[in-house]
Amino acid sequence: MRSRRFLVPADSPAVLRKEPLVDLADCPPSGATAKQPQPDPLLDNVEGMALGGRAPHGRRVLYLVSDDNGSAAQTTRVYALAVRVRA
């Protein structure tokens, strides 16, 4: 059995709020390319995310993933971003 870690205990009555952490349109492409024409190759169908460990300066690592949907015209990407998360 795998152990799971939660930001909030599974039985907690805590209410989580939705807050934008990053806008991929503001991120430089850093050499990323797209197989189909688009203004920013980073803008894609992001389908998964996970909050990771600590990064420098009190930030957390936010992982995002997009897949290629089985299409030769799309690219599977894993993003790792340093974000500030308010408690």
Side-chain angles (χ1 to χ4, degrees), residues 53-61 82-85:
R54 301 265 175 221
H57 308 291
R59 296 178 183 189
R60 298 284 300 269
V61 179
V83 297
R84 286 190 178 91
V85 179

Side-chain angles (χ1 to χ4, degrees), residues 44-50 63-67 76-80:
D44 206 340
N45 184 19
V46 175
E47 298 179 12
M49 75 171 77
Y63 295 99
L64 306 174
V65 63
S66 66
D67 69 9
T76 296
R77 298 190 193 278
V78 176
Y79 309 82

